[in-house]
Amino acid sequence: MASIKDVAGQAGVSVATVSRVLNDHPSVSADARARVLAAVESLGYRRNAVARSLRTDQTHTLGLVISDVMNPYFTELARSVEEEARALGYSVIIGNADERPDLQDHHVRNLLDRRIDGLLVSPTDGGSPLMLDAVRAGTPMVFVDRWIPGVEVPVVRADGLAAVRDLVAHLHGLGHRRLAIIAGPAATTTGQERVTAFREALHAYGLDLPEVYIGQGDFQAASGRRVTEGFLDLPEPPEVVFATDNLMALGALDAIRARGLRVPEDIALAAFDDIPWFVHTDPPITAIAQPTGELGRAAVRALVDRIEGRTPESVTLPARLVVRRSCGEPAEPPASPEPPPAQSPAVRSPVRRSQP
Amino acid sequence: MASIKDVAGQAGVSVATVSRVLNDHPSVSADARARVLAAVESLGYRRNAVARSLRTDQTHTLGLVISDVMNPYFTELARSVEEEARALGYSVIIGNADERPDLQDHHVRNLLDRRIDGLLVSPTDGGSPLMLDAVRAGTPMVFVDRWIPGVEVPVVRADGLAAVRDLVAHLHGLGHRRLAIIAGPAATTTGQERVTAFREALHAYGLDLPEVYIGQGDFQAASGRRVTEGFLDLPEPPEVVFATDNLMALGALDAIRARGLRVPEDIALAAFDDIPWFVHTDPPITAIAQPTGELGRAAVRALVDRIEGRTPESVTLPARLVVRRSCGEPAEPPASPEPPPAQSPAVRSPVRRSQP
DNA sequence: CTGAAAGCGCTTACAG
DNA sequence: CTGAAAGCGCTTACAG
């Protein structure tokens, strides 16, 4: 592949001059510039980013380590991250941890070796020595969605507290009293927070969250299936299952369907994270929606701020409840024989509901 | 960040020796090795992959340019690609073209500049000059899923012909005669092939595929919605809509639902590409499933073969029909005069069907 | 087994 | 405005 030296030779100038026109440096004569450009064209020259990075000590690349690409929530997050990064002149390399700490470390190591300018991570665990070292070593870093407590790194995330409270209010209003939750890994902040928020919201209604109604999942579909089967085997099964991510909700649906039970008649289902398919499942699933695109963009901005010497800020955006039919229809008609605004006519028109 | 020079200093050896132990070169004394390793540890040294790549002229990185990460089919493809690549000692950088040729070129350019060792692409169009140049320049390349006719590059893809024929047989058996298709971009091979396969299968049953029943989509949900609305506005709407990817099927569902119509009673729906959610949509959707993971892995193997000097081979794997309920119930019970094995009893047990 | 040295392809003060 | 030269952090023949 042609190098800058070849271009210089062809254009009859020094490599310094070639470099200058390539980098839009002002002090280059129009004539030299023209000759260089012509040589670039005729040689099909492409700048070697590897050499450039070595010399300038910047790769203009961001690393993104997410817990699971197959989870539509993270897919969307990754997409918005790449978009914003591109807009700011960076590319991004995605590392998929698949909810495995060892894989997460593999990717962090790889990304660090590649000298990415900064790292965006949604930690799968409480923080490996490697990750902690990276922070200590001064690697520009920002946490998205999940974070590691006690580590001095900006966090960009959604606060689901209010939405979980709304959800519990909705469920309580529907007459449900035995509510169960499929939790995420205790080592993740989202895994813990969602359970805590749920428990507190229940307490506000004088309800308890007994241990047997807390199933330990790992944010993957199979665990949602397993936990739900356990719930259904209970002498007194819950009336509602709240899956703390969309994949576990899928698993829960699988399990419920496999027993020949119906949602919401036999058991209600709600999920954290909203995805387009929830509008079309049978029944449409009530979910807590995060401002995913916003989160991704804000995270990139924070990281780039940090990289470029500005002061990055943590960002917390609210999540919101999207009521559909998987928890049952409201018993009380508002104002008239029918359902209240939030879960009324629009319920039947899911398309509109999911795109407010 | 500590460099190899720092390590050499600390260990009291030359940088050459450090490099040798780092690369497991045999001729290093046990003593030197130990001192180097100790220095690496105490300094927290991490090899600079950028410098290494510049020197060795290989990045051990594969580029993957896909048409749309948000499409679960491609997400899974990307995942399997990364897995196989990792197993073979490569990392992968994903470029999301979002079905936009300009974005596709952006990523190809970026990847080429980064000197990736090889490129895996699922082309969004018929081949930009940039892409063609890259092939001509000898960039190791393999096409996955879609390809560019006339270009000498191995192709790894699924053949949907037989599955489309099975689908049409299924639809015909259900009594449907007016079948419409939502096509993908004509510039993509999959966009064309699926229409052709569908038309030919229809002919085999003496059915026609009139122009008005061919809707031009772009593999994105919005186009599925738009095209389906057009179908529904026809004086004589089709009895079946076959969406040639899962996102357009989602859009079609949206459009059908918005009119208050039911699937399959008012209109039947089938899709190309199967995804886990199709089991739980209302109704479960009949789809053509590709061996996605296999495709991703085979593509990586072909590309790495090419990179490492072996002769890569094109691979074509069969897709298969997965019958669910979105096209209607078989009129006749199996075992008797009607449906062939492919669409019999299991139809009622979608969970099992999707996980054979 | 070990080290000095060249060189990968760039960028960037420094002189002129 | 332009070029010679140093140097980024590695690897790898070449001598010894």
Side-chain angles (χ1 to χ4, degrees), chain B residues 213-229:
Chain B
Y213 282 1
I214 304 179
Q216 191 54 58
D218 60 7
F219 284 141
Q220 308 271 17
S223 72
R225 201 149 34 218
R226 180 175 37 72
V227 168
T228 303
E229 280 161 7

mmCIF file with all atom_site columns, all heavy atoms in Angstrom, chain B residues 213-229:
data_model
loop_
_atom_site.group_PDB
_atom_site.id
_atom_site.type_symbol
_atom_site.label_atom_id
_atom_site.label_alt_id
_atom_site.label_comp_id
_atom_site.label_asym_id
_atom_site.label_entity_id
_atom_site.label_seq_id
_atom_site.pdbx_PDB_ins_code
_atom_site.Cartn_x
_atom_site.Cartn_y
_atom_site.Cartn_z
_atom_site.occupancy
_atom_site.B_iso_or_equiv
_atom_site.pdbx_formal_charge
_atom_site.auth_seq_id
_atom_site.auth_comp_id
_atom_site.auth_asym_id
_atom_site.auth_atom_id
_atom_site.pdbx_PDB_model_num
ATOM 1   N N   . TYR B 1 213 ? -48.644 -5.995 -5.905 1.00 0.00 ? 213 TYR B N   1
ATOM 2   C CA  . TYR B 1 213 ? -48.403 -6.808 -4.704 1.00 0.00 ? 213 TYR B CA  1
ATOM 3   C C   . TYR B 1 213 ? -46.920 -6.902 -4.362 1.00 0.00 ? 213 TYR B C   1
ATOM 4   O O   . TYR B 1 213 ? -46.506 -7.711 -3.536 1.00 0.00 ? 213 TYR B O   1
ATOM 5   C CB  . TYR B 1 213 ? -48.990 -8.214 -4.880 1.00 0.00 ? 213 TYR B CB  1
ATOM 6   C CG  . TYR B 1 213 ? -50.487 -8.264 -4.698 1.00 0.00 ? 213 TYR B CG  1
ATOM 7   C CD1 . TYR B 1 213 ? -51.233 -7.114 -4.411 1.00 0.00 ? 213 TYR B CD1 1
ATOM 8   C CD2 . TYR B 1 213 ? -51.184 -9.480 -4.795 1.00 0.00 ? 213 TYR B CD2 1
ATOM 9   C CE1 . TYR B 1 213 ? -52.602 -7.172 -4.249 1.00 0.00 ? 213 TYR B CE1 1
ATOM 10  C CE2 . TYR B 1 213 ? -52.552 -9.554 -4.626 1.00 0.00 ? 213 TYR B CE2 1
ATOM 11  C CZ  . TYR B 1 213 ? -53.260 -8.383 -4.355 1.00 0.00 ? 213 TYR B CZ  1
ATOM 12  O OH  . TYR B 1 213 ? -54.622 -8.445 -4.184 1.00 0.00 ? 213 TYR B OH  1
ATOM 13  N N   . ILE B 1 214 ? -46.134 -6.081 -5.051 1.00 0.00 ? 214 ILE B N   1
ATOM 14  C CA  . ILE B 1 214 ? -44.716 -6.017 -4.705 1.00 0.00 ? 214 ILE B CA  1
ATOM 15  C C   . ILE B 1 214 ? -44.472 -4.636 -4.133 1.00 0.00 ? 214 ILE B C   1
ATOM 16  O O   . ILE B 1 214 ? -44.534 -3.632 -4.841 1.00 0.00 ? 214 ILE B O   1
ATOM 17  C CB  . ILE B 1 214 ? -43.808 -6.207 -5.940 1.00 0.00 ? 214 ILE B CB  1
ATOM 18  C CG1 . ILE B 1 214 ? -44.149 -7.534 -6.630 1.00 0.00 ? 214 ILE B CG1 1
ATOM 19  C CG2 . ILE B 1 214 ? -42.338 -6.181 -5.532 1.00 0.00 ? 214 ILE B CG2 1
ATOM 20  C CD1 . ILE B 1 214 ? -43.328 -7.799 -7.880 1.00 0.00 ? 214 ILE B CD1 1
ATOM 21  N N   . GLY B 1 215 ? -44.243 -4.562 -2.841 1.00 0.00 ? 215 GLY B N   1
ATOM 22  C CA  . GLY B 1 215 ? -44.016 -3.263 -2.207 1.00 0.00 ? 215 GLY B CA  1
ATOM 23  C C   . GLY B 1 215 ? -42.528 -3.045 -2.037 1.00 0.00 ? 215 GLY B C   1
ATOM 24  O O   . GLY B 1 215 ? -41.804 -3.960 -1.664 1.00 0.00 ? 215 GLY B O   1
ATOM 25  N N   . GLN B 1 216 ? -42.080 -1.835 -2.320 1.00 0.00 ? 216 GLN B N   1
ATOM 26  C CA  . GLN B 1 216 ? -40.657 -1.570 -2.203 1.00 0.00 ? 216 GLN B CA  1
ATOM 27  C C   . GLN B 1 216 ? -40.294 -1.081 -0.811 1.00 0.00 ? 216 GLN B C   1
ATOM 28  O O   . GLN B 1 216 ? -40.608 0.035  -0.413 1.00 0.00 ? 216 GLN B O   1
ATOM 29  C CB  . GLN B 1 216 ? -40.239 -0.536 -3.254 1.00 0.00 ? 216 GLN B CB  1
ATOM 30  C CG  . GLN B 1 216 ? -38.743 -0.400 -3.376 1.00 0.00 ? 216 GLN B CG  1
ATOM 31  C CD  . GLN B 1 216 ? -38.075 -1.752 -3.624 1.00 0.00 ? 216 GLN B CD  1
ATOM 32  O OE1 . GLN B 1 216 ? -38.376 -2.437 -4.593 1.00 0.00 ? 216 GLN B OE1 1
ATOM 33  N NE2 . GLN B 1 216 ? -37.185 -2.158 -2.724 1.00 0.00 ? 216 GLN B NE2 1
ATOM 34  N N   . GLY B 1 217 ? -39.618 -1.919 -0.053 1.00 0.00 ? 217 GLY B N   1
ATOM 35  C CA  . GLY B 1 217 ? -39.182 -1.523 1.283  1.00 0.00 ? 217 GLY B CA  1
ATOM 36  C C   . GLY B 1 217 ? -37.685 -1.341 1.320  1.00 0.00 ? 217 GLY B C   1
ATOM 37  O O   . GLY B 1 217 ? -37.012 -1.449 0.294  1.00 0.00 ? 217 GLY B O   1
ATOM 38  N N   . ASP B 1 218 ? -37.153 -1.068 2.507  1.00 0.00 ? 218 ASP B N   1
ATOM 39  C CA  . ASP B 1 218 ? -35.705 -0.875 2.625  1.00 0.00 ? 218 ASP B CA  1
ATOM 40  C C   . ASP B 1 218 ? -35.144 -1.652 3.821  1.00 0.00 ? 218 ASP B C   1
ATOM 41  O O   . ASP B 1 218 ? -34.115 -1.287 4.372  1.00 0.00 ? 218 ASP B O   1
ATOM 42  C CB  . ASP B 1 218 ? -35.381 0.613  2.748  1.00 0.00 ? 218 ASP B CB  1
ATOM 43  C CG  . ASP B 1 218 ? -36.038 1.234  3.974  1.00 0.00 ? 218 ASP B CG  1
ATOM 44  O OD1 . ASP B 1 218 ? -36.624 0.484  4.787  1.00 0.00 ? 218 ASP B OD1 1
ATOM 45  O OD2 . ASP B 1 218 ? -35.955 2.467  4.137  1.00 0.00 ? 218 ASP B OD2 1
ATOM 46  N N   . PHE B 1 219 ? -35.861 -2.693 4.188  1.00 0.00 ? 219 PHE B N   1
ATOM 47  C CA  . PHE B 1 219 ? -35.442 -3.542 5.312  1.00 0.00 ? 219 PHE B CA  1
ATOM 48  C C   . PHE B 1 219 ? -35.612 -2.881 6.677  1.00 0.00 ? 219 PHE B C   1
ATOM 49  O O   . PHE B 1 219 ? -35.145 -3.404 7.685  1.00 0.00 ? 219 PHE B O   1
ATOM 50  C CB  . PHE B 1 219 ? -33.985 -4.016 5.148  1.00 0.00 ? 219 PHE B CB  1
ATOM 51  C CG  . PHE B 1 219 ? -33.804 -5.115 4.129  1.00 0.00 ? 219 PHE B CG  1
ATOM 52  C CD1 . PHE B 1 219 ? -32.695 -5.120 3.279  1.00 0.00 ? 219 PHE B CD1 1
ATOM 53  C CD2 . PHE B 1 219 ? -34.719 -6.159 4.027  1.00 0.00 ? 219 PHE B CD2 1
ATOM 54  C CE1 . PHE B 1 219 ? -32.509 -6.141 2.343  1.00 0.00 ? 219 PHE B CE1 1
ATOM 55  C CE2 . PHE B 1 219 ? -34.539 -7.185 3.095  1.00 0.00 ? 219 PHE B CE2 1
ATOM 56  C CZ  . PHE B 1 219 ? -33.441 -7.171 2.256  1.00 0.00 ? 219 PHE B CZ  1
ATOM 57  N N   . GLN B 1 220 ? -36.226 -1.704 6.721  1.00 0.00 ? 220 GLN B N   1
ATOM 58  C CA  . GLN B 1 220 ? -36.451 -1.032 7.996  1.00 0.00 ? 220 GLN B CA  1
ATOM 59  C C   . GLN B 1 220 ? -37.938 -1.068 8.331  1.00 0.00 ? 220 GLN B C   1
ATOM 60  O O   . GLN B 1 220 ? -38.787 -1.103 7.435  1.00 0.00 ? 220 GLN B O   1
ATOM 61  C CB  . GLN B 1 220 ? -35.999 0.426  7.920  1.00 0.00 ? 220 GLN B CB  1
ATOM 62  C CG  . GLN B 1 220 ? -34.580 0.617  7.418  1.00 0.00 ? 220 GLN B CG  1
ATOM 63  C CD  . GLN B 1 220 ? -33.548 0.587  8.525  1.00 0.00 ? 220 GLN B CD  1
ATOM 64  O OE1 . GLN B 1 220 ? -33.816 0.116  9.629  1.00 0.00 ? 220 GLN B OE1 1
ATOM 65  N NE2 . GLN B 1 220 ? -32.364 1.073  8.233  1.00 0.00 ? 220 GLN B NE2 1
ATOM 66  N N   . ALA B 1 221 ? -38.260 -0.992 9.611  1.00 0.00 ? 221 ALA B N   1
ATOM 67  C CA  . ALA B 1 221 ? -39.649 -1.092 10.056 1.00 0.00 ? 221 ALA B CA  1
ATOM 68  C C   . ALA B 1 221 ? -40.582 -0.082 9.388  1.00 0.00 ? 221 ALA B C   1
ATOM 69  O O   . ALA B 1 221 ? -41.675 -0.424 8.944  1.00 0.00 ? 221 ALA B O   1
ATOM 70  C CB  . ALA B 1 221 ? -39.724 -0.944 11.574 1.00 0.00 ? 221 ALA B CB  1
ATOM 71  N N   . ALA B 1 222 ? -40.144 1.158  9.296  1.00 0.00 ? 222 ALA B N   1
ATOM 72  C CA  . ALA B 1 222 ? -41.013 2.197  8.738  1.00 0.00 ? 222 ALA B CA  1
ATOM 73  C C   . ALA B 1 222 ? -41.484 1.849  7.328  1.00 0.00 ? 222 ALA B C   1
ATOM 74  O O   . ALA B 1 222 ? -42.638 2.092  6.973  1.00 0.00 ? 222 ALA B O   1
ATOM 75  C CB  . ALA B 1 222 ? -40.290 3.543  8.732  1.00 0.00 ? 222 ALA B CB  1
ATOM 76  N N   . SER B 1 223 ? -40.588 1.280  6.548  1.00 0.00 ? 223 SER B N   1
ATOM 77  C CA  . SER B 1 223 ? -40.986 0.944  5.177  1.00 0.00 ? 223 SER B CA  1
ATOM 78  C C   . SER B 1 223 ? -41.999 -0.201 5.180  1.00 0.00 ? 223 SER B C   1
ATOM 79  O O   . SER B 1 223 ? -42.874 -0.259 4.328  1.00 0.00 ? 223 SER B O   1
ATOM 80  C CB  . SER B 1 223 ? -39.760 0.597  4.323  1.00 0.00 ? 223 SER B CB  1
ATOM 81  O OG  . SER B 1 223 ? -39.217 -0.652 4.691  1.00 0.00 ? 223 SER B OG  1
ATOM 82  N N   . GLY B 1 224 ? -41.882 -1.094 6.133  1.00 0.00 ? 224 GLY B N   1
ATOM 83  C CA  . GLY B 1 224 ? -42.839 -2.190 6.239  1.00 0.00 ? 224 GLY B CA  1
ATOM 84  C C   . GLY B 1 224 ? -44.231 -1.642 6.532  1.00 0.00 ? 224 GLY B C   1
ATOM 85  O O   . GLY B 1 224 ? -45.240 -2.122 6.010  1.00 0.00 ? 224 GLY B O   1
ATOM 86  N N   . ARG B 1 225 ? -44.235 -0.621 7.367  1.00 0.00 ? 225 ARG B N   1
ATOM 87  C CA  . ARG B 1 225 ? -45.489 0.012  7.740  1.00 0.00 ? 225 ARG B CA  1
ATOM 88  C C   . ARG B 1 225 ? -46.099 0.682  6.508  1.00 0.00 ? 225 ARG B C   1
ATOM 89  O O   . ARG B 1 225 ? -47.255 0.450  6.159  1.00 0.00 ? 225 ARG B O   1
ATOM 90  C CB  . ARG B 1 225 ? -45.180 1.064  8.822  1.00 0.00 ? 225 ARG B CB  1
ATOM 91  C CG  . ARG B 1 225 ? -46.349 1.469  9.670  1.00 0.00 ? 225 ARG B CG  1
ATOM 92  C CD  . ARG B 1 225 ? -45.902 1.848  11.086 1.00 0.00 ? 225 ARG B CD  1
ATOM 93  N NE  . ARG B 1 225 ? -44.573 2.480  11.105 1.00 0.00 ? 225 ARG B NE  1
ATOM 94  C CZ  . ARG B 1 225 ? -43.663 2.268  12.045 1.00 0.00 ? 225 ARG B CZ  1
ATOM 95  N NH1 . ARG B 1 225 ? -43.906 1.460  13.047 1.00 0.00 ? 225 ARG B NH1 1
ATOM 96  N NH2 . ARG B 1 225 ? -42.501 2.883  11.981 1.00 0.00 ? 225 ARG B NH2 1
ATOM 97  N N   . ARG B 1 226 ? -45.289 1.484  5.860  1.00 0.00 ? 226 ARG B N   1
ATOM 98  C CA  . ARG B 1 226 ? -45.755 2.234  4.699  1.00 0.00 ? 226 ARG B CA  1
ATOM 99  C C   . ARG B 1 226 ? -46.285 1.311  3.595  1.00 0.00 ? 226 ARG B C   1
ATOM 100 O O   . ARG B 1 226 ? -47.396 1.479  3.088  1.00 0.00 ? 226 ARG B O   1
ATOM 101 C CB  . ARG B 1 226 ? -44.598 3.087  4.151  1.00 0.00 ? 226 ARG B CB  1
ATOM 102 C CG  . ARG B 1 226 ? -44.952 3.908  2.938  1.00 0.00 ? 226 ARG B CG  1
ATOM 103 C CD  . ARG B 1 226 ? -43.807 4.831  2.513  1.00 0.00 ? 226 ARG B CD  1
ATOM 104 N NE  . ARG B 1 226 ? -42.464 4.277  2.654  1.00 0.00 ? 226 ARG B NE  1
ATOM 105 C CZ  . ARG B 1 226 ? -41.949 3.326  1.872  1.00 0.00 ? 226 ARG B CZ  1
ATOM 106 N NH1 . ARG B 1 226 ? -42.669 2.810  0.897  1.00 0.00 ? 226 ARG B NH1 1
ATOM 107 N NH2 . ARG B 1 226 ? -40.709 2.898  2.066  1.00 0.00 ? 226 ARG B NH2 1
ATOM 108 N N   . VAL B 1 227 ? -45.496 0.310  3.260  1.00 0.00 ? 227 VAL B N   1
ATOM 109 C CA  . VAL B 1 227 ? -45.894 -0.613 2.192  1.00 0.00 ? 227 VAL B CA  1
ATOM 110 C C   . VAL B 1 227 ? -47.192 -1.338 2.552  1.00 0.00 ? 227 VAL B C   1
ATOM 111 O O   . VAL B 1 227 ? -48.093 -1.473 1.714  1.00 0.00 ? 227 VAL B O   1
ATOM 112 C CB  . VAL B 1 227 ? -44.779 -1.644 1.916  1.00 0.00 ? 227 VAL B CB  1
ATOM 113 C CG1 . VAL B 1 227 ? -45.301 -2.778 1.038  1.00 0.00 ? 227 VAL B CG1 1
ATOM 114 C CG2 . VAL B 1 227 ? -43.580 -0.960 1.262  1.00 0.00 ? 227 VAL B CG2 1
ATOM 115 N N   . THR B 1 228 ? -47.276 -1.775 3.793  1.00 0.00 ? 228 THR B N   1
ATOM 116 C CA  . THR B 1 228 ? -48.474 -2.500 4.207  1.00 0.00 ? 228 THR B CA  1
ATOM 117 C C   . THR B 1 228 ? -49.711 -1.612 4.135  1.00 0.00 ? 228 THR B C   1
ATOM 118 O O   . THR B 1 228 ? -50.785 -2.050 3.710  1.00 0.00 ? 228 THR B O   1
ATOM 119 C CB  . THR B 1 228 ? -48.298 -3.049 5.639  1.00 0.00 ? 228 THR B CB  1
ATOM 120 O OG1 . THR B 1 228 ? -47.126 -3.867 5.653  1.00 0.00 ? 228 THR B OG1 1
ATOM 121 C CG2 . THR B 1 228 ? -49.508 -3.879 6.060  1.00 0.00 ? 228 THR B CG2 1
ATOM 122 N N   . GLU B 1 229 ? -49.560 -0.359 4.510  1.00 0.00 ? 229 GLU B N   1
ATOM 123 C CA  . GLU B 1 229 ? -50.688 0.561  4.388  1.00 0.00 ? 229 GLU B CA  1
ATOM 124 C C   . GLU B 1 229 ? -51.136 0.636  2.935  1.00 0.00 ? 229 GLU B C   1
ATOM 125 O O   . GLU B 1 229 ? -52.331 0.647  2.637  1.00 0.00 ? 229 GLU B O   1
ATOM 126 C CB  . GLU B 1 229 ? -50.302 1.956  4.896  1.00 0.00 ? 229 GLU B CB  1
ATOM 127 C CG  . GLU B 1 229 ? -50.363 2.047  6.415  1.00 0.00 ? 229 GLU B CG  1
ATOM 128 C CD  . GLU B 1 229 ? -49.562 3.217  6.978  1.00 0.00 ? 229 GLU B CD  1
ATOM 129 O OE1 . GLU B 1 229 ? -49.057 4.036  6.175  1.00 0.00 ? 229 GLU B OE1 1
ATOM 130 O OE2 . GLU B 1 229 ? -49.425 3.287  8.215  1.00 0.00 ? 229 GLU B OE2 1
#
